[in-house]
Amino acid sequence: QVQLVESGGGLVRAGGSLRLACSSSERFFTFRTMAWFRQAPGSQRELVAAISMRGDTHLADSVKGRFTIGRDGNKNSMYLQMNNLKSEDTAVYYCSAELKTRYDQLISGRISGLDFWGQGTQVTVSS
């Protein structure tokens, strides 16, 4: 069973920065699609950012210009650099990944999630 583990969440003031990291137990195959989702209290889970194995990236409109997604040298690890954080960014952030090539389906909204999920890390932005 593939495990994904998020780290880097915490409490930060508005305007501050955090860097989330996602690591995986998968050692034999490379994830073709990886993504960050978030869910705020009382809200539906939403896609924040996605990255393909080729390096194509997608960011939700609400975070463009502030967040950056990337994959580390180990392609089964990724990060989410979050700058100029706002109170509306407060949520539990989840790492998600899969071995399938469904990046286009994910960013177009035809699918709402990937096969593997982490437990989530809390990000709280105080105003």
Side-chain angles (χ1 to χ4, degrees):
Q1 179 69 22
V2 172
Q3 291 185 325
L4 300 175
V5 179
E6 304 95 339
S7 61
L11 173 64
V12 64
R13 290 187 176 181
S17 298
L18 283 174
R19 184 180 177 100
L20 303 183
C22 173
S23 61
S24 168
S25 62
E26 175 58 49
R27 294 289 180 264
F28 297 105
F29 301 102
T30 301
F31 294 131
R32 294 183 179 272
T33 307
M34 300 188 77
W36 289 97
F37 291 80
R38 67 185 181 187
Q39 187 166 21
S43 299
Q44 289 189 330
R45 185 180 65 200
E46 63 173 345
L47 175 66
V48 177
I51 186 166
S52 72
M53 192 169 69
R54 300 182 307 181
D56 301 314
T57 60
H58 167 81
L59 294 168
D61 288 343
S62 59
V63 305
K64 281 180 181 176
R66 300 189 297 122
F67 291 12
T68 304
I69 185 173
R71 298 177 78 148
D72 296 321
N74 170 359
K75 288 191 175 292
N76 283 345
S77 297
M78 72 171 174
Y79 62 85
L80 184 69
Q81 178 66 42
M82 305 186 295
N83 298 328
N84 190 22
L85 282 160
K86 304 176 180 180
S87 57
E88 51 263 44
D89 295 319
T90 295
V92 178
Y93 283 71
Y94 296 92
C95 168
S96 186
E98 66 180 26
L99 301 174
K100 302 169 189 172
T101 306
R102 297 196 298 172
Y103 173 80
D104 290 339
Q105 296 175 63
L106 178 65
I107 66 172
S108 68
R110 281 176 284 172
I111 60 173
S112 58
L114 304 175
D115 289 341
F116 307 121
W117 292 86
Q119 293 298 308
T121 185
Q122 176 70 46
V123 171
T124 302
V125 184
S126 63
S127 56

